[in-house]
Amino acid sequence: MTQKLDETVLSSLPETVKAPAYRRSDLSPGILHIGVGNFHRAHQAIYLSKLFDLGEGHDWAIVGAGLKPYDKAMRERLQGQDWLTTVVELDPDGLSAQVCGAMIDFVDVDPQALIARLADPDIRIVSLTITEGGYFVDPNTGGFDVNHPEIQADLASPDAPQTVFGVLVAALLARRDKGLAPFTVMSCDNLPENGHMAKQAVAGFAKALSPEAGSWIADNVAFPNGMVDCITPATGDRERSLVQERFGLTDAAPVVCEPFRQWVLEDHFPAGRPALEKVGVEFVDDVAPYELMKLRILNGGHAAIAYPGALLGHYFVHDAMADPLIRAFLRKLEEDEILPTVPEIPGVSFQTYLTTVMERFSNPAVGDTIPRLCLDGSNRQPKFILPSIQDRLDKGLPIAGLALETALWCRYCLGQNEAGEPHVIEDNNAGLLKSWAQSVYASKTDLIEMPELFGNLAFDGNFLRAFSYAAEMISAEGVAETLKAYIDGRFQSGVASLQARAH
């Protein structure tokens, strides 16, 4: 027998499902969250629910919000269950489920309704998960893309904005005009310096509206940086069926996630904040070292297993991690070339962090996929791999393994694995990538200097020689034999000899 999830069943949940220890009627809003997707409900909402379970912070409940059609669909799904969500942690030792009640409302998906709610004094933090690509970054300058058509449309009609940043600026200026303190803007998106990126967009939009508005926001609104982490797969029929069959609940929008979550935040909240340090959030003066640790060790590790995994025919991440060659390649690459590029953080063991990362990648219950890790390589490689290469080159250190990773990415961009089975290159630059891969692996030309992909590295002889050596070995001997050569050191010796002859 199953029960439809809503407020009425909280007192009669199955024993296998943890109910909120707080009365939701005791909660009042303090945070408005824009972008109510799976990650937010598995991460920020769970931390707040844990705090509420302690009997604390009940004036910091979440009000959901959004501006996109999928936000409207999410609102409709959650409204029918009183904004409750079943969160299943995919622990390989046994699944566990809890009902999260930290969200108590969801604003109509309408810009004017959202501006009005943001102007209420009870909202002291506005948090965002609007995706890495939602910050209107100019790809050429890295600054705010004020010329984007959506931004230009909002600037032409600032009283009827359609973008998140047009709405935030309108609300902040409305609060200023009412004599209310500004809310803190807290990005929870997985991108470096997310607070700085949010400030760049909000203040950039305001400055384009008027220099005075831009200066006021830059001087008066807080944008703390944060590092977030929790693998959260998409929800589909499989996940809804799991919740229904395993835990006896009919939930229109359940969330499944790994049992690991991390949140490191800069403690800059002038309008106040919940005491999240009591439930595991780390508050620090500077989050940048933690971001770098995650970007290079975890995200770089994902890249390291993605392309050999795809080329050797693996679909699930845990299957790739069960392949002794891929697992040994990952560990050696991390220990020899990636970990040494990360500055020390007092009290943090990178070796322990790496061990945890590898355990997370190996979790079969998560069902994470190699195709997901291969997505958007032309955007991810410059964030997760190329900076480590540049750091090592600047210090005169070898880059054989990292160059091999880029050559494996290039081989993947041919569009088929080693068995000749095709795969789709999910990337905005897919055409460029395929042409590049064909020039390296098919037509045997020397066209590997690709500044569009590699920036200054495209002109670095040490990198190009290591990359070429890797590509030639992959072509001649295949992926598995090349990985073996790296693991036993023959590959590195070959690259070192090549570099020595060139110098």
Side-chain angles (χ1 to χ4, degrees), residues 67-371:
L67 294 169
K68 302 292 186 181
Y70 49 76
D71 295 310
K72 187 171 185 178
M74 179 64 76
R75 185 182 188 276
E76 289 172 356
R77 287 194 291 269
L78 293 177
Q79 185 174 26
Q81 50 199 53
D82 300 319
W83 322 119
L84 296 167
T85 294
T86 310
V87 179
V88 178
E89 292 191 356
L90 301 169
D91 191 325
D93 295 329
L95 307 188
S96 62
Q98 60 184 304
V99 171
C100 180
M103 180 182 294
I104 59 172
D105 197 6
F106 199 129
V107 182
D108 284 342
V109 180
D110 171 74
Q112 295 303 322
L114 180 51
I115 291 169
R117 193 68 184 86
L118 287 166
D120 283 350
D122 56 2
I123 299 302
R124 287 150 284 162
I125 294 173
V126 175
S127 52
L128 308 172
T129 47
I130 55 175
T131 76
E132 295 174 36
Y135 288 79
F136 294 97
V137 177
D138 185 319
N140 297 312
T141 67
F144 179 60
D145 186 4
V146 71
N147 295 314
H148 192 283
E150 292 182 50
I151 297 300
Q152 284 294 308
D154 273 9
L155 290 171
S157 304
D159 295 330
Q162 301 296 311
T163 70
V164 168
F165 301 109
V167 164
L168 290 177
V169 169
L172 284 164
L173 296 179
R175 289 175 76 107
R176 180 193 65 176
D177 295 345
K178 291 165 72 172
L180 294 174
F183 45 71
T184 296
V185 178
M186 179 178 69
S187 172
C188 298
D189 278 301
N190 181 30
L191 73 166
E193 299 189 318
N194 55 13
H196 293 160
M197 299 304 290
K199 182 175 184 177
Q200 175 176 279
V202 176
F205 182 92
K207 183 180 179 182
L209 204 58
S210 85
E212 182 231 352
S215 296
W216 181 81
I217 283 176
D219 293 343
N220 292 280
V221 180
F223 297 86
N225 289 304
M227 186 268 270
V228 297
D229 194 8
C230 181
I231 297 172
T232 310
T235 294
D237 291 341
R238 169 178 171 259
E239 287 71 28
R240 284 185 284 271
S241 296
L242 169 69
V243 170
Q244 189 164 16
E245 294 165 10
R246 183 76 173 265
F247 297 104
L249 287 174
T250 300
D251 186 333
V255 175
V256 299
C257 61
E258 65 172 334
F260 175 95
R261 56 178 60 83
Q262 186 177 20
W263 196 2
V264 184
L265 264 174
E266 290 173 359
D267 200 355
H268 184 38
F269 292 83
R273 65 165 177 81
L276 291 167
E277 67 274 14
K278 296 184 178 180
V279 288
V281 177
E282 301 169 76
F283 285 95
V284 299
D285 293 331
D286 182 10
V287 80
Y290 295 86
E291 288 178 338
L292 191 63
M293 174 183 74
K294 176 176 178 283
L295 287 169
R296 297 206 175 170
I297 300 175
L298 184 142
N299 297 117
H302 265 155
I305 65 174
Y307 303 110
L311 293 169
L312 293 174
H314 297 297
Y315 180 76
F316 287 108
V317 174
H318 62 265
D319 287 335
M321 289 297 292
D323 183 323
L325 286 178
I326 293 177
R327 190 177 189 90
F329 170 63
L330 172 63
R331 182 173 287 282
K332 188 168 183 63
L333 178 65
E334 291 270 17
E335 292 179 343
D336 289 359
E337 298 189 27
I338 295 178
L339 265 62
T341 72
V342 185
E344 289 186 11
I345 302 173
V348 176
S349 164
F350 294 152
Q351 194 67 51
T352 300
Y353 183 75
L354 172 61
T355 298
T356 301
V357 162
M358 293 182 69
E359 289 172 354
R360 294 168 64 194
F361 290 178
S362 303
N363 184 348
V366 173
D368 201 6
T369 68
I370 291 294

Side-chain angles (χ1 to χ4, degrees), residues 393 399 403 460-467 495 499 502-503:
L393 288 171
I399 56 157
D460 188 289
N462 287 327
F463 170 68
L464 293 176
R465 282 186 290 272
F467 175 89
V495 172
Q499 303 285 24
H503 295 295

Side-chain angles (χ1 to χ4, degrees), residues 371-449:
R372 185 187 79 82
L373 301 192
C374 291
L375 288 172
D376 203 19
S378 66
N379 184 44
R380 294 180 177 186
Q381 291 280 311
K383 291 185 175 76
F384 306 149
I385 295 294
L386 303 189
S388 296
I389 295 175
Q390 190 65 63
D391 274 5
R392 293 185 67 81
L393 288 171
D394 290 345
K395 295 171 184 173
L397 297 172
I399 56 157
L402 289 163
L404 172 55
E405 188 280 338
T406 62
L408 289 163
W409 171 44
C410 181
R411 172 61 182 80
Y412 169 85
C413 292
L414 275 181
Q416 61 182 27
N417 67 16
E418 288 207 309
E421 298 164 335
H423 52 244
V424 177
I425 305 166
E426 297 281 0
D427 195 296
N428 288 335
N429 294 306
L432 172 67
L433 294 174
K434 192 159 189 176
S435 296
W436 167 57
Q438 288 170 341
S439 74
V440 173
Y441 283 100
S443 62
K444 306 297 184 186
T445 70
D446 293 328
L447 182 61
I448 60 172
E449 298 88 347

